[in-house]
Amino acid sequence: QVQFVESGGGLVQPGGSLRLSCAASRSIFSIYVMGWWRQAPGKQREWVAGINYGGNTNYADSVKGRFTISRDNAKNTVILEMNNLKPGDTAVYYCNTDSTATLWGKGTLVTVSS
């Protein structure tokens, strides 16, 4: 089963940017869809963005126009570029293949605060 390691989180002021990276333990070449999820304190995990093998992307309404997901199959990585960050984006961010996956990484914490 493929495992993921997320990185790139940190503390940023409102309006700032961060670039999250997700490294897979094996090739993601054959994985049709990859996505990012997030879980804010006291809330359930929610889907943020997804990208299929062909590069087609989808985003949650709350991040549309601010976040960009991309994938590099050769490097087995998935990237989430986050711009114009808001306090409501504060959460632990995870990448995976789908929401029903049983194995999740530790995630990377994003804190948006002044």
Side-chain angles (χ1 to χ4, degrees):
Q1 191 172 3
V2 62
Q3 294 180 307
F4 301 103
V5 177
E6 302 88 353
S7 62
L11 173 63
V12 63
Q13 292 186 342
S17 299
L18 282 175
R19 183 177 187 268
L20 306 185
S21 180
C22 168
S25 61
R26 65 163 178 80
S27 172
I28 63 171
F29 182 83
S30 61
I31 299 177
Y32 185 65
V33 176
M34 289 294 304
W36 283 91
W37 283 258
R38 68 186 181 186
Q39 186 166 18
K43 295 186 177 181
Q44 290 188 333
R45 185 160 50 210
E46 64 173 355
W47 173 79
V48 173
I51 183 168
N52 69 13
Y53 180 81
N56 296 310
T57 59
N58 278 298
Y59 300 93
D61 288 343
S62 60
V63 307
K64 199 171 294 184
R66 300 187 296 122
F67 290 11
T68 302
I69 186 173
S70 61
R71 64 190 287 172
D72 186 334
N73 291 333
K75 296 182 178 179
N76 302 327
T77 59
V78 183
I79 301 296
L80 186 68
E81 299 272 4
M82 306 187 297
N83 296 310
N84 190 22
L85 283 161
K86 304 176 180 180
D89 295 319
T90 295
V92 178
Y93 285 72
Y94 304 88
C95 69
N96 217 313
T97 56
D98 63 78
S99 61
T100 63
T102 57
L103 184 62
W104 291 79
K106 294 182 179 180
T108 185
L109 176 62
V110 173
T111 304
V112 185
S113 175
S114 55

